[in-house]
């Protein structure tokens, strides 16, 4: 593989051993099939597409790839194009370094030991957050900073604060050279070199002096420069391995909840038992949930479930997150109560932490793990009803919000009929120039919500009864020309107002 090429019809075509990133190409189309054929003819190593549902587009492309003699890859749905392109570019830009040989890819402890032997010092390998990934055996000299760093898996807090105040962490992030830290108290001098691949920072290698021997020498600096090149594939492999475990887990959960995955595979990766009761909670706050808020929901939901002793896996969803609960009580009634109590406490805790109201749809308890997709379906329906209803609780099962769920179903059907061929009372009010500071639509809506009782409608709007009655009779009825005694007219108005309310909620 020689180059990473992002598809652009205006750029030169791919050539031998290139990897083509097909951003914007739908894997389900003839365009994708033709692209794979052309890539094979050019001798490209492969074509990378966006995620596809299992079996929907991968089978056809796989057959074409075999014929064309090139690979077809699919991006995981749990990552994005910038991350994938950056990692691929990093991998392609790495140059094998023969000076540290014999270390198996990903064996960071052995790599640390090999570097330590060359510089005659103590080595730690850390990620960009200063988490210790590996270290060489400690010599006879006691370096307490090193000991505390290894035991705590991070440098001591005061050392990290000192580096931040001195700007050393910033220098490490920006530099590609070997940096020097002088001795401080009992802590000996240190050399540190950042490890990068394709411009992407992966971590750093630290060397502490031992036995009073000078550390900052040209020879040691050259060893570390070379070691940083050699360490890049090791750190990249280690990061991919650690992140891959999380991504594979999320992928297995999400595919199962989508009704396409294997419960047996998920059980093997999570420890969730196949033959015990499970349930799904669908968690959301209404409106659009950005990536940052969704990340907070995932973390807070998992921590809350863990504190309550529940075995759970939490994955992002369109509305927020999905919580898969396993190992529920053997008795069905007890399991349902267990899930309900958790849903209530989760809704309250997340609302407090996020500073906005969070709702939790409760999925029906299932006998086995392979019933999780059915529980997820009812949980999503329940959450939809909670978010759509005007006076909904914070958490509920689908049967408890059945009215709102049914209305939401009708509302979705009404979306396609929003442009009516005739003028109606509601459309006349929406285009009326006479609003008088108070929405005429709200005035009509209040009357329809309070089955014809003007006094209750006036109280709901916070105005005097006489003022409300005058506005309804003399303005709303006259402007809209609605017959409030006609049940069909009232039904049509309520349906249109329902549609209008839903569109406003979507915008929020």
């Amino acid at each position: 593989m020689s180059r990473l090429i992002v598809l652009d019809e205006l750029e030169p075509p791919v050539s031998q051993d290139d990897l083509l990133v097909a951003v914007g190409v739908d894997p389900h189309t003839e365009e994708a099939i033709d692209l794979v054929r052309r890539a094979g003819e050019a001798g490209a190593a492969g074509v990378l597409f966006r995620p596809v549902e299992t079996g929907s587009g991968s089978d056809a492309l796989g057959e074409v790839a075999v014929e064309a003699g090139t690979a077809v890859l699919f991006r995981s749905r749990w990552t994005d194009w910038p991350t994938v392109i950056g990692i691929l570019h990093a991998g392609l830009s790495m140059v094998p370094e023969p000076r540290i040989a014999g270390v198996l890819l990903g064996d960071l402890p052995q790599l640390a030991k090999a570097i330590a032997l060359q510089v005659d010092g103590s080595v730690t390998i850390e990620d960009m957050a200063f988490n210790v990934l590996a270290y060489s055996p400690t010599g006879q000299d006691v370096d307490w900073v090193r000991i505390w760093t290894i035991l705590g898996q991070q440098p001591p807090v005061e050392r990290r604060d000192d580096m931040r105040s001195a700007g050393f962490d910033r220098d490490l992030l920006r530099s590609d050279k070997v940096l020097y830290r002088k001795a401080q108290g009992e802590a000996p001098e240190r050399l540190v070199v950042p490890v990068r691949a394709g411009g992407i920072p992966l971590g750093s290698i630290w060397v502490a002096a031992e036995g009073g021997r000078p550390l900052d020498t040209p020879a040691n600096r050259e060893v570390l420069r070379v070691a940083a090149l050699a360490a890049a594939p090791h750190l990249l492999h280690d990061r991919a391995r650690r992140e891959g475990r999380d991504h594979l887990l999320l992928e297995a959960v999400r595919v199962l909840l989508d009704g396409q995955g294997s419960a047996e595979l998920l059980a093997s990766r999570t420890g969730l038992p196949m033959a015990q009761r499970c349930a799904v909670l669908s968690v959301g706050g209404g409106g659009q949930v950005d990536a940052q808020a969704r990340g907070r929901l995932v973390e807070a939901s998992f921590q809350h479930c863990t504190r309550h002793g529940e075995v759970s896996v939490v994955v992002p969803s369109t509305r927020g997150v999905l919580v898969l609960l396993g190992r529920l009580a053997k008795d069905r009634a007890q399991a349902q109560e267990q899930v309900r109590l958790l849903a209530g406490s989760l809704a309250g805790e997340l609302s407090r932490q996020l500073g906005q109201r969070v709702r939790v749809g409760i999925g029906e308890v299932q006998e086995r793990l392979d019933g999780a997709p059915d529980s997820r379906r009812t949980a999503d329906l329940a959450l939809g009803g909670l978010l759509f209803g005007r006076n909904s609780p914070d958490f509920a099962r689908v049967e408890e919000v059945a009215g709102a769920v049914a209305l939401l179903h009708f509302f979705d059907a009404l979306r396609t009929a929003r442009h009516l061929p005739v003028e109606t009372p509601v459309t006349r009010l929406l285009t009326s120039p006479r609003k008088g500071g108070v929405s005429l639509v709200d005035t009509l809506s209040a009357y329809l919500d309070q089955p014809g009782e003007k006094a209750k409608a006036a109280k709901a709007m916070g105005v005097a009864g006489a003022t409300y009655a005058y506005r309804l009779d003399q303005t709303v009825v006259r402007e809209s020309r609605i017959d409030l005694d006609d049940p069909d007219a009232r039904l049509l108005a309520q349906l249109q107002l329902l549609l209008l309310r839903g569109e406003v909620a979507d915008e929020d």
Side-chain angles (χ1 to χ4, degrees), residues 274-342:
M274 271 293 300
Q276 291 188 24
R277 297 185 187 277
C278 70
V280 175
L281 302 178
S282 186
V283 183
Q288 297 295 322
V289 181
D290 59 28
Q292 183 177 8
R294 189 176 288 108
R296 293 171 62 195
L297 273 175
V298 169
E299 182 178 357
S301 298
F302 180 75
Q303 290 178 351
H304 184 83
C305 293
T306 301
R307 285 197 300 270
H308 283 70
E310 301 292 350
V311 178
S312 66
V313 183
V314 184
V315 297
S317 68
T318 303
R319 288 172 171 153
V321 299
L322 296 171
V323 182
L324 173 58
L325 301 170
R327 297 184 183 177
L328 299 178
K330 294 182 179 180
D331 180 76
R332 184 175 183 83
Q334 291 181 0
Q336 289 176 336
E337 182 63 16
Q338 179 181 353
V339 175
R340 186 175 186 84
L341 289 174
L342 180 66

Side-chain angles (χ1 to χ4, degrees), residues 90 98 182 299 303 325 407 472 479:
K182 65 181 181 179
E299 182 178 357
Q303 290 178 351
L325 301 170
L407 282 175
L472 177 68
E479 290 284 335

